[in-house]
Amino acid sequence: MSRAPITGPDGDEFEGDQFDLADRQALRRVAGLSTELRDVSEVEYRQVRLERVVLAGLWNGGSATDADNSLRELALLAETAGSEVLDGVLQHRDQPDPGTFLGRGKAQELRGVVSACGADTVICDSELTPSQRRGLEDVVGVKVVDRTALILDIFAQHAKSREGKAQVELAQMEYLLPRLRGWGESMSRQAGGRVAGGAGIGSRGPGETKIELDRRRIRQRMAKLRREIAAMKTARTTRRGSRRRNAVPSVAIAGYTNAGKSSLLNRITGAGVLVEDALFATLDPTVRRAVTPDGREYTLTDTVGFVRHLPHQLVEAFRSTLEEVADADLVLHVVDAAHPDPESQLEAVQAVLAEVGADPLRQVVVVNKIDLADAGVIDRLLRRVPGAVAVSARTGAGIEELLERIAAGLPRPEAEIAVLIPFSRGDLVSRIHADGEVLAEEHIAAGTRIRARVPRALALELAGFADLVPGQA
């Protein structure tokens, strides 16, 4: 619906004043969004059933390319949820319409697009207020879902662990609570007080409306879920504390969804976790042990991916999981170099990492998928982030350099020891190798002579084995 520019008297092109408002509010089709998908499995809680959808977004800042990329990402999200994307439209508008998101006139045009495509759902590339969703539904005549509900649905499909399911359910309920509505008699007040017992005049109370009853039940369920998640957080904290007592450094893999985090975990550790070309394929953290090139053990954790405009309900619900990132000794921030706009992914992840308290000084940016990316894009990212490492988790290119960066970034044991361990205490030698950094080692008749750097707790245990006459070791 865009118009051709008007030529002025001096031959220069300009937009006529009479068309300015219309052009700014015009809907523009975004090509290449149609998909064909097979059905997905049922989700356990409040599945948003999306089948044949039309996408709608606003271009209210930035370039047209940014707006297109955002809508294409929405198409990938819809595809991941199990939908068939039929079409997508963008409206150039400064602010969303408070009543219908797009504005009533453009909502009527969207209704025509929906009718022509035979769609049963509209997905908006923003979080809608309850009134905007109702207003747009009334105009287009089909179900309207916003970006937040779509992401929550994907999380509900992919959560597998008890903690992950509880976190998703809590986020869904926080989203649902202000959006409850009812119709007709379901909204009427029930009789309260002792009216059922025939107490008569003066004994009747207003009772609860159906919607009030639903809200109370949801709040009760949310309180129970918060208690359960807090208990699971305690167990997670205990496990993390056990690793710290054993002086095992931790590395967390963070990044945008579908950036290749699980592939990187598999490449480094051989973990064999699920790798899928889909958004949010990983929700439940996977922890595996790995060894640096100089022989020090550390844990490597694969975490949930981030996305632009990640719903705040999810950030709050997954806060205990994201603490794995905040508490890690080193964070590998994985960036998809093959993505059309990797810089925006970089910024979105940095925003979430800052929100959960991850120290920027303990981060290593990993530019992944260099086997698929343009060389110019790779160079641009490496110039933007000094110290970044370019790798391909699929082919293994650059992994050796990354392992060296991990070894350099991990904290080193702080106490230097020189001990002589009898051969009967081979367990102590093993612990020195696992938890410390061996500087020199020699086998003599009396046992194993070792000079190493180890955690202070282990140094105290080894105090009785001090090598009083240090030799070559």
Side-chain angles (χ1 to χ4, degrees), residues 377-419:
V377 174
I378 298 170
D379 290 340
R380 190 175 74 228
L381 288 171
L382 294 178
R383 286 196 305 271
R384 174 170 180 157
V385 187
V389 181
V391 307
S392 169
R394 187 174 69 88
T395 66
I399 295 297
E400 292 299 324
E401 181 184 355
L402 176 60
L403 294 177
E404 292 174 1
R405 288 293 303 279
I406 292 173
L410 291 178
R412 292 185 175 275
E414 60 271 25
E416 186 168 335
I417 60 168
V419 293

Side-chain angles (χ1 to χ4, degrees), residues 143-205:
K143 178 173 63 179
V144 174
V145 176
D146 64 13
R147 181 187 179 95
T148 299
L150 177 60
I151 294 175
L152 289 171
D153 181 64
I154 296 170
F155 271 56
Q157 291 184 38
H158 289 182
K160 295 294 184 291
S161 70
R162 180 167 166 259
E163 183 176 13
K165 289 178 180 179
Q167 289 168 328
V168 171
E169 185 178 353
L170 176 60
Q172 285 179 313
M173 287 188 165
E174 288 180 337
Y175 172 81
L176 173 66
L177 187 61
R179 291 169 171 80
L180 286 178
R181 64 170 176 169
W183 295 267
E185 304 224 347
S186 67
M187 292 288 286
S188 64
R189 289 190 175 276
Q190 306 163 4
R194 296 164 56 198
V195 68
I201 296 173
S203 65
R204 299 176 178 86

Side-chain angles (χ1 to χ4, degrees), residues 267-278:
R267 169 63 64 175
I268 295 176
T269 68
V273 299
L274 170 68
V275 172
E276 185 179 1
D277 185 17

Side-chain angles (χ1 to χ4, degrees), residues 170 173 177-178 180 211-227:
L170 176 60
M173 287 188 165
L177 187 61
L180 286 178
I211 196 168
E212 287 168 346
L213 183 63
D214 287 343
R215 282 176 178 154
R216 179 163 59 83
R217 287 174 174 168
I218 287 178
R219 289 192 183 101
Q220 289 172 345
R221 178 63 178 162
M222 287 168 62
K224 181 180 179 183
L225 287 169
R226 287 194 178 101
R227 289 193 298 270

